[in-house]
Every structure is written in structure tokens, then in C-alpha cells.
Amino acid sequence: MFIYQNRRLKKMKDSKKNYTPLDIYERWMIRTILVFFLLIVALAELILYFLYLNPRITSGAERDYYFFSRVIEEDPENIQAYLALAEAYYKMKKYDKAISVLEEAEKISALDFRPIFEKGRIFYELGKKTESKVEFEKALKISPGSFLPAYYMGKIYFESKRYPVAAFYFRKALEIDSTSGDAHYMLGATYEKMGLHLAAMDEYRETLKYLPDDRRAQKALKRLGKDDNDK
């Protein structure tokens, strides 16, 4: 028994003596990686708390603001992050900052129509039709095959009672996306204003193909049908 214990102690001593510099380095690397992993987990938990559990952040727009601000810091050429940050500012009613962020995005990629369109949309929502029209025209020049700038141009001219020009842009929008029920409805409303009732009814029927429950188109068809019967 005594001999066995001596042999065991000798083995333990020998194993301690056999550590090479490489073994020590590997052990140090494993510990370092483990520490870094724990730090990353802790940082991730802090970010999650700050964005989703922090009682001082009271809205999704604020969370988006903090999140996409960090994304832009890490990737200053991420256009999608600029668009999302601008939308967060817009929801927070910080309109000037939203426009400023979109202008920064425009500098990064002059061939991307989206920041320009979003500027136009914000101007449109704020009732600044002249400024919005300028931005939508710029967006269409950069990307003639984009539905939304053409559609909004149609809306601006419709609201200005310039119906032939509005019809031109709504038709252009439908050439790009013929499945848009809203564009069919707006073209129908434009034709109705121009006194083209048969053409308007066709567009209202097209609206219901893509938006079967659209009450605007349903009411318009009843109204125009009644008018025709009265005649």
C-alpha cells in the first residue's frame, strides 16, 4: 500500500514537471476566451435591458433610435439603418432630425432613391407639397421604375385639382405595379373628377379585384351606377 502511494505521488510530481510552455499558453488562451465570452454576454444583457426593459424608454420609436444609432456607428454606410433611424425620428416628431439623417444617407449613396423619396414623404405628411414634389421628381429621375414616387406625384396633382397630370402619374404607377388597389382607386377618382365615368367605374372594379373589401370603391360604383340610371 505504501509503495502504491509513493508511485502515485511520483506520477503527480512528474505530470507537473511535464508542462511545456505550449500547455501554459493554451490554458491562458482558454481562460482569456472564457473571460471575453462572459464579458460579451454581460454586454448583450445590458443592451437588451437598455433597449427593452429600461423604464425610461417608453416607445418603440425610442428603442429604434438607440438601436439604429448604434448600427450606424458600427456601419456608417448602412443605408437601411439611416432609413430606419429617420423613421424613428419621424415617429418621435423630430422632423428636422429625420430630414437631416436622410440627407446624410443621400450623400453616402446618390444613386439610391429611397432617402430622397422618404424626404418627400415626410414633407408630404407635413403638408409641404412644393418641397415634397421636388423630392419625388428627383427620386423618379434616379429610379424611373419606382412605384411610390409616381404614386405620390399623382396624389399631389390630384389634391391640386390638376386631374390630367394626376391621371398621367397614376397610370405610370400602375405600369410599374398593376396590382396596387390604391392606385387603381385613385385613378378611378381622378377619372370621375374629369367626368369620365365609364373609365372611373373600370378602375373601381379593378380596385375591388385587389382590395375586395374596399368601401371607397364599393360606394363609388353604387354612386356612379345610380347616376347612370338617373340619366
PDB file of all heavy atoms in Angstrom, residues 48-71:
ATOM      1  N   LEU A  48     -29.836  44.649 -24.037  1.00  0.00           N
ATOM      2  CA  LEU A  48     -31.234  44.219 -24.012  1.00  0.00           C
ATOM      3  C   LEU A  48     -32.013  44.943 -22.923  1.00  0.00           C
ATOM      4  O   LEU A  48     -33.152  45.371 -23.125  1.00  0.00           O
ATOM      5  CB  LEU A  48     -31.315  42.701 -23.793  1.00  0.00           C
ATOM      6  CG  LEU A  48     -30.929  41.841 -25.000  1.00  0.00           C
ATOM      7  CD1 LEU A  48     -30.852  40.378 -24.584  1.00  0.00           C
ATOM      8  CD2 LEU A  48     -31.938  42.018 -26.127  1.00  0.00           C
ATOM      9  N   TYR A  49     -31.380  45.099 -21.769  1.00  0.00           N
ATOM     10  CA  TYR A  49     -32.053  45.828 -20.688  1.00  0.00           C
ATOM     11  C   TYR A  49     -32.300  47.271 -21.103  1.00  0.00           C
ATOM     12  O   TYR A  49     -33.394  47.814 -20.937  1.00  0.00           O
ATOM     13  CB  TYR A  49     -31.215  45.795 -19.415  1.00  0.00           C
ATOM     14  CG  TYR A  49     -31.691  46.811 -18.397  1.00  0.00           C
ATOM     15  CD1 TYR A  49     -32.811  46.556 -17.611  1.00  0.00           C
ATOM     16  CD2 TYR A  49     -31.036  48.036 -18.251  1.00  0.00           C
ATOM     17  CE1 TYR A  49     -33.270  47.494 -16.698  1.00  0.00           C
ATOM     18  CE2 TYR A  49     -31.491  48.981 -17.346  1.00  0.00           C
ATOM     19  CZ  TYR A  49     -32.606  48.701 -16.570  1.00  0.00           C
ATOM     20  OH  TYR A  49     -33.050  49.636 -15.690  1.00  0.00           O
ATOM     21  N   PHE A  50     -31.252  47.879 -21.670  1.00  0.00           N
ATOM     22  CA  PHE A  50     -31.354  49.297 -22.009  1.00  0.00           C
ATOM     23  C   PHE A  50     -32.432  49.541 -23.051  1.00  0.00           C
ATOM     24  O   PHE A  50     -33.185  50.514 -22.983  1.00  0.00           O
ATOM     25  CB  PHE A  50     -29.996  49.787 -22.532  1.00  0.00           C
ATOM     26  CG  PHE A  50     -29.946  51.279 -22.737  1.00  0.00           C
ATOM     27  CD1 PHE A  50     -29.927  52.133 -21.642  1.00  0.00           C
ATOM     28  CD2 PHE A  50     -29.938  51.810 -24.007  1.00  0.00           C
ATOM     29  CE1 PHE A  50     -29.891  53.501 -21.830  1.00  0.00           C
ATOM     30  CE2 PHE A  50     -29.899  53.182 -24.199  1.00  0.00           C
ATOM     31  CZ  PHE A  50     -29.867  54.027 -23.103  1.00  0.00           C
ATOM     32  N   LEU A  51     -32.531  48.614 -24.016  1.00  0.00           N
ATOM     33  CA  LEU A  51     -33.482  48.817 -25.111  1.00  0.00           C
ATOM     34  C   LEU A  51     -34.892  48.370 -24.769  1.00  0.00           C
ATOM     35  O   LEU A  51     -35.859  48.989 -25.217  1.00  0.00           O
ATOM     36  CB  LEU A  51     -32.994  48.064 -26.356  1.00  0.00           C
ATOM     37  CG  LEU A  51     -31.748  48.616 -27.037  1.00  0.00           C
ATOM     38  CD1 LEU A  51     -31.392  47.756 -28.231  1.00  0.00           C
ATOM     39  CD2 LEU A  51     -31.940  50.056 -27.477  1.00  0.00           C
ATOM     40  N   TYR A  52     -35.033  47.302 -24.006  1.00  0.00           N
ATOM     41  CA  TYR A  52     -36.356  46.701 -23.856  1.00  0.00           C
ATOM     42  C   TYR A  52     -36.911  46.710 -22.425  1.00  0.00           C
ATOM     43  O   TYR A  52     -38.117  46.583 -22.237  1.00  0.00           O
ATOM     44  CB  TYR A  52     -36.328  45.263 -24.382  1.00  0.00           C
ATOM     45  CG  TYR A  52     -36.032  45.216 -25.846  1.00  0.00           C
ATOM     46  CD1 TYR A  52     -34.762  44.894 -26.308  1.00  0.00           C
ATOM     47  CD2 TYR A  52     -37.018  45.534 -26.773  1.00  0.00           C
ATOM     48  CE1 TYR A  52     -34.488  44.882 -27.665  1.00  0.00           C
ATOM     49  CE2 TYR A  52     -36.746  45.525 -28.135  1.00  0.00           C
ATOM     50  CZ  TYR A  52     -35.485  45.189 -28.568  1.00  0.00           C
ATOM     51  OH  TYR A  52     -35.210  45.185 -29.910  1.00  0.00           O
ATOM     52  N   LEU A  53     -36.049  46.841 -21.421  1.00  0.00           N
ATOM     53  CA  LEU A  53     -36.546  46.798 -20.049  1.00  0.00           C
ATOM     54  C   LEU A  53     -36.362  48.116 -19.311  1.00  0.00           C
ATOM     55  O   LEU A  53     -36.931  48.309 -18.240  1.00  0.00           O
ATOM     56  CB  LEU A  53     -35.829  45.673 -19.275  1.00  0.00           C
ATOM     57  CG  LEU A  53     -36.013  44.265 -19.866  1.00  0.00           C
ATOM     58  CD1 LEU A  53     -35.178  43.268 -19.073  1.00  0.00           C
ATOM     59  CD2 LEU A  53     -37.478  43.856 -19.825  1.00  0.00           C
ATOM     60  N   ASN A  54     -35.575  49.008 -19.883  1.00  0.00           N
ATOM     61  CA  ASN A  54     -35.322  50.289 -19.232  1.00  0.00           C
ATOM     62  C   ASN A  54     -36.615  51.101 -19.163  1.00  0.00           C
ATOM     63  O   ASN A  54     -37.192  51.440 -20.187  1.00  0.00           O
ATOM     64  CB  ASN A  54     -34.265  51.061 -20.036  1.00  0.00           C
ATOM     65  CG  ASN A  54     -33.782  52.290 -19.290  1.00  0.00           C
ATOM     66  OD1 ASN A  54     -34.461  52.786 -18.394  1.00  0.00           O
ATOM     67  ND2 ASN A  54     -32.613  52.771 -19.662  1.00  0.00           N
ATOM     68  N   PRO A  55     -37.095  51.413 -17.963  1.00  0.00           N
ATOM     69  CA  PRO A  55     -38.377  52.133 -17.850  1.00  0.00           C
ATOM     70  C   PRO A  55     -38.338  53.538 -18.423  1.00  0.00           C
ATOM     71  O   PRO A  55     -39.377  54.127 -18.698  1.00  0.00           O
ATOM     72  CB  PRO A  55     -38.621  52.159 -16.331  1.00  0.00           C
ATOM     73  CG  PRO A  55     -37.284  51.966 -15.709  1.00  0.00           C
ATOM     74  CD  PRO A  55     -36.510  51.102 -16.655  1.00  0.00           C
ATOM     75  N   ARG A  56     -37.133  54.094 -18.631  1.00  0.00           N
ATOM     76  CA  ARG A  56     -37.054  55.450 -19.188  1.00  0.00           C
ATOM     77  C   ARG A  56     -37.359  55.465 -20.684  1.00  0.00           C
ATOM     78  O   ARG A  56     -37.657  56.503 -21.249  1.00  0.00           O
ATOM     79  CB  ARG A  56     -35.653  56.031 -18.945  1.00  0.00           C
ATOM     80  CG  ARG A  56     -35.402  56.368 -17.478  1.00  0.00           C
ATOM     81  CD  ARG A  56     -33.999  56.861 -17.276  1.00  0.00           C
ATOM     82  NE  ARG A  56     -33.017  55.837 -17.570  1.00  0.00           N
ATOM     83  CZ  ARG A  56     -31.699  56.034 -17.538  1.00  0.00           C
ATOM     84  NH1 ARG A  56     -31.216  57.224 -17.252  1.00  0.00           N
ATOM     85  NH2 ARG A  56     -30.866  55.053 -17.808  1.00  0.00           N
ATOM     86  N   ILE A  57     -37.250  54.304 -21.367  1.00  0.00           N
ATOM     87  CA  ILE A  57     -37.578  54.209 -22.789  1.00  0.00           C
ATOM     88  C   ILE A  57     -39.031  53.776 -22.893  1.00  0.00           C
ATOM     89  O   ILE A  57     -39.392  52.667 -22.531  1.00  0.00           O
ATOM     90  CB  ILE A  57     -36.650  53.215 -23.509  1.00  0.00           C
ATOM     91  CG1 ILE A  57     -35.204  53.705 -23.413  1.00  0.00           C
ATOM     92  CG2 ILE A  57     -37.057  53.052 -24.957  1.00  0.00           C
ATOM     93  CD1 ILE A  57     -34.206  52.757 -24.012  1.00  0.00           C
ATOM     94  N   THR A  58     -39.860  54.671 -23.376  1.00  0.00           N
ATOM     95  CA  THR A  58     -41.309  54.442 -23.292  1.00  0.00           C
ATOM     96  C   THR A  58     -41.947  54.087 -24.629  1.00  0.00           C
ATOM     97  O   THR A  58     -43.145  53.857 -24.689  1.00  0.00           O
ATOM     98  CB  THR A  58     -41.996  55.703 -22.745  1.00  0.00           C
ATOM     99  OG1 THR A  58     -41.682  56.822 -23.606  1.00  0.00           O
ATOM    100  CG2 THR A  58     -41.525  56.018 -21.332  1.00  0.00           C
ATOM    101  N   SER A  59     -41.186  54.022 -25.716  1.00  0.00           N
ATOM    102  CA  SER A  59     -41.816  53.739 -27.007  1.00  0.00           C
ATOM    103  C   SER A  59     -40.894  52.929 -27.902  1.00  0.00           C
ATOM    104  O   SER A  59     -39.667  52.924 -27.727  1.00  0.00           O
ATOM    105  CB  SER A  59     -42.198  55.048 -27.717  1.00  0.00           C
ATOM    106  OG  SER A  59     -41.030  55.718 -28.156  1.00  0.00           O
ATOM    107  N   GLY A  60     -41.509  52.265 -28.882  1.00  0.00           N
ATOM    108  CA  GLY A  60     -40.731  51.523 -29.867  1.00  0.00           C
ATOM    109  C   GLY A  60     -39.842  52.442 -30.683  1.00  0.00           C
ATOM    110  O   GLY A  60     -38.744  52.061 -31.103  1.00  0.00           O
ATOM    111  N   ALA A  61     -40.303  53.668 -30.933  1.00  0.00           N
ATOM    112  CA  ALA A  61     -39.504  54.623 -31.701  1.00  0.00           C
ATOM    113  C   ALA A  61     -38.204  54.958 -30.979  1.00  0.00           C
ATOM    114  O   ALA A  61     -37.147  55.059 -31.614  1.00  0.00           O
ATOM    115  CB  ALA A  61     -40.313  55.897 -31.956  1.00  0.00           C
ATOM    116  N   GLU A  62     -38.268  55.106 -29.657  1.00  0.00           N
ATOM    117  CA  GLU A  62     -37.042  55.375 -28.897  1.00  0.00           C
ATOM    118  C   GLU A  62     -36.088  54.188 -28.958  1.00  0.00           C
ATOM    119  O   GLU A  62     -34.877  54.362 -29.098  1.00  0.00           O
ATOM    120  CB  GLU A  62     -37.393  55.686 -27.438  1.00  0.00           C
ATOM    121  CG  GLU A  62     -37.988  57.058 -27.222  1.00  0.00           C
ATOM    122  CD  GLU A  62     -38.197  57.341 -25.746  1.00  0.00           C
ATOM    123  OE1 GLU A  62     -37.230  57.729 -25.062  1.00  0.00           O
ATOM    124  OE2 GLU A  62     -39.332  57.147 -25.280  1.00  0.00           O
ATOM    125  N   ARG A  63     -36.644  52.980 -28.845  1.00  0.00           N
ATOM    126  CA  ARG A  63     -35.786  51.784 -28.954  1.00  0.00           C
ATOM    127  C   ARG A  63     -35.117  51.749 -30.321  1.00  0.00           C
ATOM    128  O   ARG A  63     -33.926  51.454 -30.435  1.00  0.00           O
ATOM    129  CB  ARG A  63     -36.614  50.523 -28.732  1.00  0.00           C
ATOM    130  CG  ARG A  63     -36.965  50.271 -27.277  1.00  0.00           C
ATOM    131  CD  ARG A  63     -37.475  48.856 -27.069  1.00  0.00           C
ATOM    132  NE  ARG A  63     -38.796  48.663 -27.675  1.00  0.00           N
ATOM    133  CZ  ARG A  63     -39.930  48.887 -27.045  1.00  0.00           C
ATOM    134  NH1 ARG A  63     -39.921  49.330 -25.800  1.00  0.00           N
ATOM    135  NH2 ARG A  63     -41.084  48.673 -27.638  1.00  0.00           N
ATOM    136  N   ASP A  64     -35.902  52.027 -31.378  1.00  0.00           N
ATOM    137  CA  ASP A  64     -35.329  52.043 -32.727  1.00  0.00           C
ATOM    138  C   ASP A  64     -34.248  53.114 -32.845  1.00  0.00           C
ATOM    139  O   ASP A  64     -33.224  52.896 -33.502  1.00  0.00           O
ATOM    140  CB  ASP A  64     -36.429  52.301 -33.766  1.00  0.00           C
ATOM    141  CG  ASP A  64     -37.350  51.108 -33.935  1.00  0.00           C
ATOM    142  OD1 ASP A  64     -36.990  50.010 -33.477  1.00  0.00           O
ATOM    143  OD2 ASP A  64     -38.444  51.278 -34.511  1.00  0.00           O
ATOM    144  N   TYR A  65     -34.489  54.262 -32.224  1.00  0.00           N
ATOM    145  CA  TYR A  65     -33.498  55.343 -32.267  1.00  0.00           C
ATOM    146  C   TYR A  65     -32.163  54.873 -31.684  1.00  0.00           C
ATOM    147  O   TYR A  65     -31.112  55.031 -32.309  1.00  0.00           O
ATOM    148  CB  TYR A  65     -34.013  56.560 -31.498  1.00  0.00           C
ATOM    149  CG  TYR A  65     -32.912  57.499 -31.074  1.00  0.00           C
ATOM    150  CD1 TYR A  65     -32.264  58.304 -32.005  1.00  0.00           C
ATOM    151  CD2 TYR A  65     -32.480  57.543 -29.738  1.00  0.00           C
ATOM    152  CE1 TYR A  65     -31.227  59.146 -31.618  1.00  0.00           C
ATOM    153  CE2 TYR A  65     -31.450  58.374 -29.350  1.00  0.00           C
ATOM    154  CZ  TYR A  65     -30.829  59.171 -30.290  1.00  0.00           C
ATOM    155  OH  TYR A  65     -29.799  59.987 -29.915  1.00  0.00           O
ATOM    156  N   TYR A  66     -32.201  54.285 -30.487  1.00  0.00           N
ATOM    157  CA  TYR A  66     -30.963  53.829 -29.851  1.00  0.00           C
ATOM    158  C   TYR A  66     -30.315  52.704 -30.653  1.00  0.00           C
ATOM    159  O   TYR A  66     -29.092  52.695 -30.859  1.00  0.00           O
ATOM    160  CB  TYR A  66     -31.232  53.358 -28.413  1.00  0.00           C
ATOM    161  CG  TYR A  66     -31.468  54.490 -27.456  1.00  0.00           C
ATOM    162  CD1 TYR A  66     -32.716  54.690 -26.876  1.00  0.00           C
ATOM    163  CD2 TYR A  66     -30.439  55.372 -27.124  1.00  0.00           C
ATOM    164  CE1 TYR A  66     -32.941  55.747 -25.990  1.00  0.00           C
ATOM    165  CE2 TYR A  66     -30.645  56.425 -26.250  1.00  0.00           C
ATOM    166  CZ  TYR A  66     -31.897  56.608 -25.687  1.00  0.00           C
ATOM    167  OH  TYR A  66     -32.108  57.639 -24.817  1.00  0.00           O
ATOM    168  N   PHE A  67     -31.130  51.762 -31.108  1.00  0.00           N
ATOM    169  CA  PHE A  67     -30.587  50.602 -31.818  1.00  0.00           C
ATOM    170  C   PHE A  67     -29.928  51.024 -33.131  1.00  0.00           C
ATOM    171  O   PHE A  67     -28.770  50.661 -33.406  1.00  0.00           O
ATOM    172  CB  PHE A  67     -31.687  49.581 -32.075  1.00  0.00           C
ATOM    173  CG  PHE A  67     -31.212  48.378 -32.844  1.00  0.00           C
ATOM    174  CD1 PHE A  67     -30.504  47.379 -32.208  1.00  0.00           C
ATOM    175  CD2 PHE A  67     -31.460  48.263 -34.201  1.00  0.00           C
ATOM    176  CE1 PHE A  67     -30.040  46.271 -32.906  1.00  0.00           C
ATOM    177  CE2 PHE A  67     -31.004  47.164 -34.914  1.00  0.00           C
ATOM    178  CZ  PHE A  67     -30.297  46.167 -34.267  1.00  0.00           C
ATOM    179  N   PHE A  68     -30.646  51.787 -33.957  1.00  0.00           N
ATOM    180  CA  PHE A  68     -30.109  52.115 -35.274  1.00  0.00           C
ATOM    181  C   PHE A  68     -29.015  53.179 -35.210  1.00  0.00           C
ATOM    182  O   PHE A  68     -28.168  53.238 -36.111  1.00  0.00           O
ATOM    183  CB  PHE A  68     -31.238  52.521 -36.222  1.00  0.00           C
ATOM    184  CG  PHE A  68     -32.098  51.360 -36.620  1.00  0.00           C
ATOM    185  CD1 PHE A  68     -33.378  51.208 -36.122  1.00  0.00           C
ATOM    186  CD2 PHE A  68     -31.597  50.375 -37.463  1.00  0.00           C
ATOM    187  CE1 PHE A  68     -34.163  50.118 -36.471  1.00  0.00           C
ATOM    188  CE2 PHE A  68     -32.370  49.275 -37.819  1.00  0.00           C
ATOM    189  CZ  PHE A  68     -33.652  49.156 -37.317  1.00  0.00           C
ATOM    190  N   SER A  69     -29.000  53.970 -34.157  1.00  0.00           N
ATOM    191  CA  SER A  69     -27.859  54.874 -33.949  1.00  0.00           C
ATOM    192  C   SER A  69     -26.582  54.066 -33.754  1.00  0.00           C
ATOM    193  O   SER A  69     -25.521  54.392 -34.302  1.00  0.00           O
ATOM    194  CB  SER A  69     -28.097  55.776 -32.733  1.00  0.00           C
ATOM    195  OG  SER A  69     -29.167  56.652 -32.956  1.00  0.00           O
ATOM    196  N   ARG A  70     -26.688  52.982 -32.974  1.00  0.00           N
ATOM    197  CA  ARG A  70     -25.530  52.109 -32.754  1.00  0.00           C
ATOM    198  C   ARG A  70     -25.126  51.397 -34.045  1.00  0.00           C
ATOM    199  O   ARG A  70     -23.943  51.233 -34.332  1.00  0.00           O
ATOM    200  CB  ARG A  70     -25.837  51.075 -31.665  1.00  0.00           C
ATOM    201  CG  ARG A  70     -25.958  51.663 -30.272  1.00  0.00           C
ATOM    202  CD  ARG A  70     -26.277  50.576 -29.256  1.00  0.00           C
ATOM    203  NE  ARG A  70     -25.203  49.607 -29.177  1.00  0.00           N
ATOM    204  CZ  ARG A  70     -24.120  49.740 -28.415  1.00  0.00           C
ATOM    205  NH1 ARG A  70     -23.977  50.817 -27.660  1.00  0.00           N
ATOM    206  NH2 ARG A  70     -23.192  48.805 -28.398  1.00  0.00           N
ATOM    207  N   VAL A  71     -26.115  50.971 -34.827  1.00  0.00           N
ATOM    208  CA  VAL A  71     -25.817  50.299 -36.099  1.00  0.00           C
ATOM    209  C   VAL A  71     -25.023  51.232 -37.011  1.00  0.00           C
ATOM    210  O   VAL A  71     -24.036  50.824 -37.646  1.00  0.00           O
ATOM    211  CB  VAL A  71     -27.108  49.828 -36.800  1.00  0.00           C
ATOM    212  CG1 VAL A  71     -26.799  49.313 -38.206  1.00  0.00           C
ATOM    213  CG2 VAL A  71     -27.790  48.736 -35.984  1.00  0.00           C
TER     214      VAL A  71
END
